[in-house]
Amino acid sequence: MTGTGGAGAVVSALERIGRDDPRLSAFVEVWHEQAIADAERAAHLPLGALPFAVKGRAGIRSYAARRLIAAGAVPVGSTSVPGPGTPWQTWGLGAHGRTVNPWRADRTPGGSSAGSAVAVAADMVPLATGSDGAGSVRIPAAWCGVFGLKTTNGLLPSPDRTGLASAGVLTRSAAGALTYLRCVLDANRGRGPEGLPGVPGGHRHRVPEADPQAAPALPVPAVFSPDLGYADVEPEVAAVVRRAVDRLVAAGVVRPTDRTCDLLDPREAWQEVRSGEPSPRTRELRRENDRRLDVLFARVPLLLSPTTPNRPHGHGGPGEVHSTALTWAFNLSGHPAATIPAGFTTDGCPVGLQLVAEHGADVSLVETARAAQDALSTVRS
């Protein structure tokens, strides 16, 4: 993804938003006049007036948005996040009503980066910012059939003092996310984070500096776990992901190993850390899962799993299913995690394949995801 197109790219994005957003309701606000004015000023900067969207009204103040703007990207609007009135976060409320999934209007797009995922999936913008505290980038990316990345926790500034939320990005392809990483990491190099602020219980992550030059040699040795050892995954979702992994093996992108990944269910631990009152049991569970992941990544650079245990649910809510079951483990552990489109269920719902790597391996993870997405680009299960 490059910023070649200048003001014309911004005008085209605004036209697509005007045409499609009344139906999809991905945006809360659209900044027509400001975006066009900014495009003229940004046309000669490195990103050349690349249009992008920010998550929620506060997204324009995020570190990532500021770095993108400094490089010449132009924010065109803020995207929907979950509205008030429900305890579940896998939906969005935009200016025209509830946000709908562009593949199935009767299904939710996921959340909380709901509008960002829809805006990218519907080609209203090529890139949108997000944040991920339990899967809030990866879940909507998976359910809308686009690429989503949660960066290593602590690698970039985050206002979340629990340490669970990390900056993220949604793009049509993994290749597009490299533009984002170049902007945020080049400015951030040398910051040398030593770890997250200690949450109650003193849990900290190791956060090596991400290497912008990292490029994995293919095939990448990988562990595939259909459930991470604890999740109840829909059989058809599991089947779509397994076929995608088989195709990656056949294409020479990954090399399966005989290792496994069996983690302890992080549900209660995540909830306690979010509440700010983690118990000794939660602290021990985090240490044990960290130990198991340390052992895995000391031997194998890549972990694969379904992104969600379920397909997109209806607008009435998820029922008893936790769509976060396979994502929030890596908010607790801090590892970078991405999702790429794996295929579709028979009823036309997108399914995501989650890729997880060692702390700080964000760039090599995205490079691997790019190769994997290229190999899967024709898949429709």
PDB file of all heavy atoms in Angstrom, residues 181-208:
ATOM      1  N   LEU A 181       3.008  -0.274   9.977  1.00  0.00           N
ATOM      2  CA  LEU A 181       4.135  -0.597  10.843  1.00  0.00           C
ATOM      3  C   LEU A 181       5.344   0.286  10.561  1.00  0.00           C
ATOM      4  O   LEU A 181       6.050   0.700  11.481  1.00  0.00           O
ATOM      5  CB  LEU A 181       4.512  -2.070  10.696  1.00  0.00           C
ATOM      6  CG  LEU A 181       3.553  -3.066  11.351  1.00  0.00           C
ATOM      7  CD1 LEU A 181       4.000  -4.493  11.066  1.00  0.00           C
ATOM      8  CD2 LEU A 181       3.447  -2.837  12.849  1.00  0.00           C
ATOM      9  N   ARG A 182       5.591   0.591   9.294  1.00  0.00           N
ATOM     10  CA  ARG A 182       6.715   1.472   8.982  1.00  0.00           C
ATOM     11  C   ARG A 182       6.544   2.823   9.663  1.00  0.00           C
ATOM     12  O   ARG A 182       7.500   3.396  10.185  1.00  0.00           O
ATOM     13  CB  ARG A 182       6.850   1.659   7.468  1.00  0.00           C
ATOM     14  CG  ARG A 182       7.554   0.517   6.762  1.00  0.00           C
ATOM     15  CD  ARG A 182       7.979   0.916   5.373  1.00  0.00           C
ATOM     16  NE  ARG A 182       6.842   1.223   4.513  1.00  0.00           N
ATOM     17  CZ  ARG A 182       6.227   0.334   3.754  1.00  0.00           C
ATOM     18  NH1 ARG A 182       6.623  -0.932   3.750  1.00  0.00           N
ATOM     19  NH2 ARG A 182       5.207   0.679   2.993  1.00  0.00           N
ATOM     20  N   CYS A 183       5.330   3.326   9.657  1.00  0.00           N
ATOM     21  CA  CYS A 183       5.078   4.647  10.270  1.00  0.00           C
ATOM     22  C   CYS A 183       5.221   4.597  11.789  1.00  0.00           C
ATOM     23  O   CYS A 183       5.902   5.425  12.379  1.00  0.00           O
ATOM     24  CB  CYS A 183       3.681   5.140   9.909  1.00  0.00           C
ATOM     25  SG  CYS A 183       3.483   5.619   8.186  1.00  0.00           S
ATOM     26  N   VAL A 184       4.579   3.637  12.415  1.00  0.00           N
ATOM     27  CA  VAL A 184       4.552   3.658  13.878  1.00  0.00           C
ATOM     28  C   VAL A 184       5.841   3.147  14.490  1.00  0.00           C
ATOM     29  O   VAL A 184       6.249   3.592  15.567  1.00  0.00           O
ATOM     30  CB  VAL A 184       3.342   2.872  14.432  1.00  0.00           C
ATOM     31  CG1 VAL A 184       2.038   3.495  13.972  1.00  0.00           C
ATOM     32  CG2 VAL A 184       3.401   1.392  14.062  1.00  0.00           C
ATOM     33  N   LEU A 185       6.530   2.220  13.816  1.00  0.00           N
ATOM     34  CA  LEU A 185       7.756   1.682  14.380  1.00  0.00           C
ATOM     35  C   LEU A 185       8.961   2.564  14.111  1.00  0.00           C
ATOM     36  O   LEU A 185       9.832   2.701  14.964  1.00  0.00           O
ATOM     37  CB  LEU A 185       8.017   0.271  13.852  1.00  0.00           C
ATOM     38  CG  LEU A 185       7.021  -0.800  14.293  1.00  0.00           C
ATOM     39  CD1 LEU A 185       7.416  -2.156  13.728  1.00  0.00           C
ATOM     40  CD2 LEU A 185       6.918  -0.871  15.806  1.00  0.00           C
ATOM     41  N   ASP A 186       9.038   3.190  12.935  1.00  0.00           N
ATOM     42  CA  ASP A 186      10.169   4.068  12.658  1.00  0.00           C
ATOM     43  C   ASP A 186      10.222   5.204  13.655  1.00  0.00           C
ATOM     44  O   ASP A 186      11.281   5.601  14.129  1.00  0.00           O
ATOM     45  CB  ASP A 186      10.081   4.625  11.230  1.00  0.00           C
ATOM     46  CG  ASP A 186      10.442   3.582  10.188  1.00  0.00           C
ATOM     47  OD1 ASP A 186      10.910   2.494  10.592  1.00  0.00           O
ATOM     48  OD2 ASP A 186      10.259   3.841   8.994  1.00  0.00           O
ATOM     49  N   ALA A 187       9.058   5.737  14.001  1.00  0.00           N
ATOM     50  CA  ALA A 187       9.024   6.839  14.962  1.00  0.00           C
ATOM     51  C   ALA A 187       9.262   6.344  16.375  1.00  0.00           C
ATOM     52  O   ALA A 187       9.695   7.092  17.238  1.00  0.00           O
ATOM     53  CB  ALA A 187       7.675   7.551  14.898  1.00  0.00           C
ATOM     54  N   ASN A 188       8.979   5.059  16.595  1.00  0.00           N
ATOM     55  CA  ASN A 188       9.027   4.530  17.953  1.00  0.00           C
ATOM     56  C   ASN A 188      10.349   3.836  18.277  1.00  0.00           C
ATOM     57  O   ASN A 188      10.606   3.476  19.402  1.00  0.00           O
ATOM     58  CB  ASN A 188       7.879   3.531  18.141  1.00  0.00           C
ATOM     59  CG  ASN A 188       7.440   3.423  19.578  1.00  0.00           C
ATOM     60  OD1 ASN A 188       7.204   4.432  20.212  1.00  0.00           O
ATOM     61  ND2 ASN A 188       7.325   2.210  20.084  1.00  0.00           N
ATOM     62  N   ARG A 189      11.209   3.623  17.267  1.00  0.00           N
ATOM     63  CA  ARG A 189      12.463   2.917  17.502  1.00  0.00           C
ATOM     64  C   ARG A 189      13.334   3.706  18.466  1.00  0.00           C
ATOM     65  O   ARG A 189      13.420   4.923  18.408  1.00  0.00           O
ATOM     66  CB  ARG A 189      13.203   2.686  16.187  1.00  0.00           C
ATOM     67  CG  ARG A 189      12.600   1.560  15.374  1.00  0.00           C
ATOM     68  CD  ARG A 189      13.346   1.343  14.080  1.00  0.00           C
ATOM     69  NE  ARG A 189      14.674   0.810  14.300  1.00  0.00           N
ATOM     70  CZ  ARG A 189      14.943  -0.459  14.565  1.00  0.00           C
ATOM     71  NH1 ARG A 189      13.963  -1.319  14.692  1.00  0.00           N
ATOM     72  NH2 ARG A 189      16.178  -0.882  14.725  1.00  0.00           N
ATOM     73  N   GLY A 190      13.977   2.967  19.341  1.00  0.00           N
ATOM     74  CA  GLY A 190      14.825   3.607  20.329  1.00  0.00           C
ATOM     75  C   GLY A 190      14.101   3.926  21.618  1.00  0.00           C
ATOM     76  O   GLY A 190      14.728   4.310  22.601  1.00  0.00           O
ATOM     77  N   ARG A 191      12.751   3.775  21.611  1.00  0.00           N
ATOM     78  CA  ARG A 191      12.008   4.040  22.841  1.00  0.00           C
ATOM     79  C   ARG A 191      12.343   2.992  23.898  1.00  0.00           C
ATOM     80  O   ARG A 191      12.303   3.265  25.098  1.00  0.00           O
ATOM     81  CB  ARG A 191      10.511   4.043  22.544  1.00  0.00           C
ATOM     82  CG  ARG A 191       9.650   4.537  23.705  1.00  0.00           C
ATOM     83  CD  ARG A 191       8.216   4.753  23.255  1.00  0.00           C
ATOM     84  NE  ARG A 191       7.533   3.508  22.953  1.00  0.00           N
ATOM     85  CZ  ARG A 191       6.846   2.806  23.834  1.00  0.00           C
ATOM     86  NH1 ARG A 191       6.798   3.180  25.081  1.00  0.00           N
ATOM     87  NH2 ARG A 191       6.230   1.705  23.467  1.00  0.00           N
ATOM     88  N   GLY A 192      12.660   1.786  23.411  1.00  0.00           N
ATOM     89  CA  GLY A 192      13.139   0.745  24.308  1.00  0.00           C
ATOM     90  C   GLY A 192      12.226   0.378  25.443  1.00  0.00           C
ATOM     91  O   GLY A 192      12.623   0.398  26.595  1.00  0.00           O
ATOM     92  N   PRO A 193      10.963   0.034  25.174  1.00  0.00           N
ATOM     93  CA  PRO A 193      10.088  -0.326  26.280  1.00  0.00           C
ATOM     94  C   PRO A 193      10.617  -1.549  27.004  1.00  0.00           C
ATOM     95  O   PRO A 193      11.048  -2.501  26.398  1.00  0.00           O
ATOM     96  CB  PRO A 193       8.749  -0.631  25.589  1.00  0.00           C
ATOM     97  CG  PRO A 193       9.120  -1.005  24.194  1.00  0.00           C
ATOM     98  CD  PRO A 193      10.348  -0.204  23.866  1.00  0.00           C
ATOM     99  N   GLU A 194      10.601  -1.498  28.293  1.00  0.00           N
ATOM    100  CA  GLU A 194      11.075  -2.619  29.093  1.00  0.00           C
ATOM    101  C   GLU A 194       9.938  -3.542  29.507  1.00  0.00           C
ATOM    102  O   GLU A 194      10.157  -4.599  30.050  1.00  0.00           O
ATOM    103  CB  GLU A 194      11.774  -2.094  30.349  1.00  0.00           C
ATOM    104  CG  GLU A 194      13.008  -1.279  30.042  1.00  0.00           C
ATOM    105  CD  GLU A 194      14.052  -2.087  29.298  1.00  0.00           C
ATOM    106  OE1 GLU A 194      14.177  -3.287  29.558  1.00  0.00           O
ATOM    107  OE2 GLU A 194      14.750  -1.501  28.442  1.00  0.00           O
ATOM    108  N   GLY A 195       8.699  -3.109  29.251  1.00  0.00           N
ATOM    109  CA  GLY A 195       7.547  -3.925  29.623  1.00  0.00           C
ATOM    110  C   GLY A 195       6.390  -3.035  29.986  1.00  0.00           C
ATOM    111  O   GLY A 195       6.514  -1.816  30.025  1.00  0.00           O
ATOM    112  N   LEU A 196       5.277  -3.635  30.182  1.00  0.00           N
ATOM    113  CA  LEU A 196       4.094  -2.876  30.519  1.00  0.00           C
ATOM    114  C   LEU A 196       4.134  -2.419  31.963  1.00  0.00           C
ATOM    115  O   LEU A 196       4.758  -3.055  32.801  1.00  0.00           O
ATOM    116  CB  LEU A 196       2.855  -3.745  30.317  1.00  0.00           C
ATOM    117  CG  LEU A 196       2.549  -4.104  28.876  1.00  0.00           C
ATOM    118  CD1 LEU A 196       1.450  -5.149  28.847  1.00  0.00           C
ATOM    119  CD2 LEU A 196       2.138  -2.884  28.107  1.00  0.00           C
ATOM    120  N   PRO A 197       3.435  -1.311  32.257  1.00  0.00           N
ATOM    121  CA  PRO A 197       3.290  -0.960  33.665  1.00  0.00           C
ATOM    122  C   PRO A 197       2.693  -2.141  34.423  1.00  0.00           C
ATOM    123  O   PRO A 197       1.826  -2.841  33.920  1.00  0.00           O
ATOM    124  CB  PRO A 197       2.315   0.223  33.632  1.00  0.00           C
ATOM    125  CG  PRO A 197       2.391   0.753  32.249  1.00  0.00           C
ATOM    126  CD  PRO A 197       2.705  -0.419  31.367  1.00  0.00           C
ATOM    127  N   GLY A 198       3.201  -2.364  35.607  1.00  0.00           N
ATOM    128  CA  GLY A 198       2.719  -3.512  36.363  1.00  0.00           C
ATOM    129  C   GLY A 198       1.249  -3.374  36.710  1.00  0.00           C
ATOM    130  O   GLY A 198       0.831  -2.369  37.260  1.00  0.00           O
ATOM    131  N   VAL A 199       0.453  -4.368  36.347  1.00  0.00           N
ATOM    132  CA  VAL A 199      -0.923  -4.406  36.806  1.00  0.00           C
ATOM    133  C   VAL A 199      -0.909  -5.043  38.187  1.00  0.00           C
ATOM    134  O   VAL A 199       0.099  -5.596  38.611  1.00  0.00           O
ATOM    135  CB  VAL A 199      -1.804  -5.220  35.835  1.00  0.00           C
ATOM    136  CG1 VAL A 199      -1.848  -4.554  34.495  1.00  0.00           C
ATOM    137  CG2 VAL A 199      -1.312  -6.649  35.701  1.00  0.00           C
ATOM    138  N   PRO A 200      -2.005  -4.929  38.936  1.00  0.00           N
ATOM    139  CA  PRO A 200      -2.019  -5.557  40.252  1.00  0.00           C
ATOM    140  C   PRO A 200      -1.553  -7.002  40.165  1.00  0.00           C
ATOM    141  O   PRO A 200      -2.047  -7.778  39.372  1.00  0.00           O
ATOM    142  CB  PRO A 200      -3.485  -5.449  40.668  1.00  0.00           C
ATOM    143  CG  PRO A 200      -3.978  -4.225  39.961  1.00  0.00           C
ATOM    144  CD  PRO A 200      -3.255  -4.208  38.648  1.00  0.00           C
ATOM    145  N   GLY A 201      -0.572  -7.332  40.936  1.00  0.00           N
ATOM    146  CA  GLY A 201       0.020  -8.659  40.875  1.00  0.00           C
ATOM    147  C   GLY A 201       1.386  -8.634  40.245  1.00  0.00           C
ATOM    148  O   GLY A 201       2.108  -9.621  40.267  1.00  0.00           O
ATOM    149  N   GLY A 202       1.773  -7.499  39.640  1.00  0.00           N
ATOM    150  CA  GLY A 202       3.120  -7.334  39.151  1.00  0.00           C
ATOM    151  C   GLY A 202       3.418  -8.025  37.841  1.00  0.00           C
ATOM    152  O   GLY A 202       4.575  -8.201  37.477  1.00  0.00           O
ATOM    153  N   HIS A 203       2.411  -8.447  37.087  1.00  0.00           N
ATOM    154  CA  HIS A 203       2.668  -9.149  35.828  1.00  0.00           C
ATOM    155  C   HIS A 203       3.235  -8.181  34.802  1.00  0.00           C
ATOM    156  O   HIS A 203       2.708  -7.112  34.585  1.00  0.00           O
ATOM    157  CB  HIS A 203       1.382  -9.774  35.296  1.00  0.00           C
ATOM    158  CG  HIS A 203       1.621 -10.737  34.176  1.00  0.00           C
ATOM    159  ND1 HIS A 203       1.864 -12.068  34.406  1.00  0.00           N
ATOM    160  CD2 HIS A 203       1.685 -10.562  32.840  1.00  0.00           C
ATOM    161  CE1 HIS A 203       2.043 -12.691  33.249  1.00  0.00           C
ATOM    162  NE2 HIS A 203       1.936 -11.792  32.289  1.00  0.00           N
ATOM    163  N   ARG A 204       4.311  -8.586  34.140  1.00  0.00           N
ATOM    164  CA  ARG A 204       4.947  -7.747  33.123  1.00  0.00           C
ATOM    165  C   ARG A 204       5.251  -8.605  31.899  1.00  0.00           C
ATOM    166  O   ARG A 204       5.452  -9.809  31.989  1.00  0.00           O
ATOM    167  CB  ARG A 204       6.245  -7.121  33.648  1.00  0.00           C
ATOM    168  CG  ARG A 204       6.038  -6.216  34.851  1.00  0.00           C
ATOM    169  CD  ARG A 204       7.363  -5.782  35.427  1.00  0.00           C
ATOM    170  NE  ARG A 204       8.084  -4.907  34.519  1.00  0.00           N
ATOM    171  CZ  ARG A 204       7.925  -3.590  34.469  1.00  0.00           C
ATOM    172  NH1 ARG A 204       7.040  -3.007  35.260  1.00  0.00           N
ATOM    173  NH2 ARG A 204       8.634  -2.852  33.648  1.00  0.00           N
ATOM    174  N   HIS A 205       5.324  -7.946  30.745  1.00  0.00           N
ATOM    175  CA  HIS A 205       5.675  -8.635  29.509  1.00  0.00           C
ATOM    176  C   HIS A 205       7.082  -8.239  29.084  1.00  0.00           C
ATOM    177  O   HIS A 205       7.504  -7.113  29.291  1.00  0.00           O
ATOM    178  CB  HIS A 205       4.722  -8.244  28.370  1.00  0.00           C
ATOM    179  CG  HIS A 205       3.288  -8.568  28.634  1.00  0.00           C
ATOM    180  ND1 HIS A 205       2.835  -9.848  28.768  1.00  0.00           N
ATOM    181  CD2 HIS A 205       2.202  -7.768  28.787  1.00  0.00           C
ATOM    182  CE1 HIS A 205       1.527  -9.829  28.982  1.00  0.00           C
ATOM    183  NE2 HIS A 205       1.125  -8.578  29.005  1.00  0.00           N
ATOM    184  N   ARG A 206       7.786  -9.173  28.446  1.00  0.00           N
ATOM    185  CA  ARG A 206       9.025  -8.812  27.776  1.00  0.00           C
ATOM    186  C   ARG A 206       8.662  -8.225  26.420  1.00  0.00           C
ATOM    187  O   ARG A 206       7.917  -8.831  25.651  1.00  0.00           O
ATOM    188  CB  ARG A 206       9.904 -10.059  27.569  1.00  0.00           C
ATOM    189  CG  ARG A 206      10.353 -10.698  28.874  1.00  0.00           C
ATOM    190  CD  ARG A 206      11.133 -11.973  28.621  1.00  0.00           C
ATOM    191  NE  ARG A 206      10.283 -13.025  28.079  1.00  0.00           N
ATOM    192  CZ  ARG A 206      10.260 -13.379  26.804  1.00  0.00           C
ATOM    193  NH1 ARG A 206      11.008 -12.744  25.917  1.00  0.00           N
ATOM    194  NH2 ARG A 206       9.478 -14.348  26.395  1.00  0.00           N
ATOM    195  N   VAL A 207       9.175  -7.053  26.115  1.00  0.00           N
ATOM    196  CA  VAL A 207       8.807  -6.385  24.868  1.00  0.00           C
ATOM    197  C   VAL A 207      10.069  -6.022  24.097  1.00  0.00           C
ATOM    198  O   VAL A 207      10.566  -4.909  24.188  1.00  0.00           O
ATOM    199  CB  VAL A 207       7.966  -5.118  25.121  1.00  0.00           C
ATOM    200  CG1 VAL A 207       7.407  -4.594  23.807  1.00  0.00           C
ATOM    201  CG2 VAL A 207       6.829  -5.424  26.072  1.00  0.00           C
ATOM    202  N   PRO A 208      10.640  -6.957  23.331  1.00  0.00           N
ATOM    203  CA  PRO A 208      11.788  -6.615  22.510  1.00  0.00           C
ATOM    204  C   PRO A 208      11.402  -5.589  21.449  1.00  0.00           C
ATOM    205  O   PRO A 208      10.243  -5.526  21.027  1.00  0.00           O
ATOM    206  CB  PRO A 208      12.190  -7.948  21.858  1.00  0.00           C
ATOM    207  CG  PRO A 208      11.361  -8.999  22.506  1.00  0.00           C
ATOM    208  CD  PRO A 208      10.202  -8.326  23.147  1.00  0.00           C
TER     209      PRO A 208
END
